[in-house]
Amino acid sequence: MNTTKELLAELDRQLVARQYTVKGRQLVRGVCTTLLSAQGRTLKATIRRGIDHVRGIHAHGGMSMGNLKSHMRWARRLEGLMEGDESIWYRIKPGPTYHLSRHYANVLDNFRSILGDRPSDRSSLTAAGLFFDWLIGRGIKRIGSLTPELMLEYVAKIRSTSKGNGVNRVRSNLKRLAAFLVGKALVPATCLHAISLPVRCQKRLLPAFSPAEFRALTEMIESRQDGYGRRNLAIFRIAASTGMRIGDIVGLTFSDINWSAGEIRCVQSKTGVPIRQPLMHDVGTALRDYILNFRPTCESDKIFVTSIPPIRPMSSSTMVAAFSRTLKSCDIKKSAFDGKSLHAMRRTVGRDLVTAGVPLPTVQQILGHSSVRATSRYVALDAHGLRSCALGLDGIEPAEGGAR
């Protein structure tokens, strides 16, 4: 392989052979095309120049750390592909193993025959195999012995070990399996009815920023006076005053700002619900400063753009990466799934509104939630309000033999 065209063609063949999805191949080709965009004297020199290019983008806040690692990973794979190194495909892992009898293996093969090769189909096949393995462990030798009670027992087992919507994903896959089994008259229809019952998921309560953390973040973001800092300050002020999601903030266009009415108007990308937020004085000042003095020239109607060439509309991941660096600069420790992210600004606004006594339906409208049920989670962040709900212990006598 002497040209980038030949290298990309070989990459496509390898991805197809390893059963990458169409979308997966498109994502990989996009990353590798970026790495091969700066021509060098040799292919290896071209890849080296591509690595320097993406590192520069990351250093100036135009690329998240996760995206940079993805580019570096595929740079190593392109070099390995040139040398015929098969170890570059270490990410392809074998599927889960289950020990099935011939009877269950035949049922699984029949179920596989009606599925495609989409990720959701492979997920359903895996869920079916794990379910059959569990049935064998319970002593159920034939699928015809399956009962609604067994299906509910399996869902309860999954629920005890899963978090968030994991149990509902498993239930959705088992629902496809149950529909197949009922259609083949292998199990009674009551099994499908049982697995169709909704299951309440366990929701993690993620924290908001404390007042001290919020002050430290504000001071750190305000301290940077270049275009990168002025852009991030405007975004931070919008998030801190309105609680808008980061995707909606970076997607704001010039027409979404009504300067005469003092409003921010947009349609939420997550829910499709239109919202109108007041344009606070400090938010408007930060926006004007960025737009008039620091925003690079760009044909896009999006307000927030990257700070280094090529100038293009800003992505959510870019701002998330910038905020993570700000947390580190403020010595705010962050660990996986602790909720200390840019989205925590939204929870901070919700907590402050609830703490101030704003009715939940009003908080729902401000945050743009589709239901008040989603808003009610912010009540648990109001520690002072929860203390006022606690019952006293006066008049309660300890049980006989208990501690006094």
Side-chain angles (χ1 to χ4, degrees), residues 233-255:
L233 176 63
I235 293 175
F236 178 79
R237 290 205 182 282
I238 295 174
S241 66
T242 66
M244 290 174 60
R245 298 180 180 90
I246 182 58
D248 295 329
I249 296 176
V250 299
L252 287 173
T253 64
F254 290 103
S255 59

Side-chain angles (χ1 to χ4, degrees), residues 105 151 206 251 294:
M151 300 210 71
L206 299 177
F294 294 99

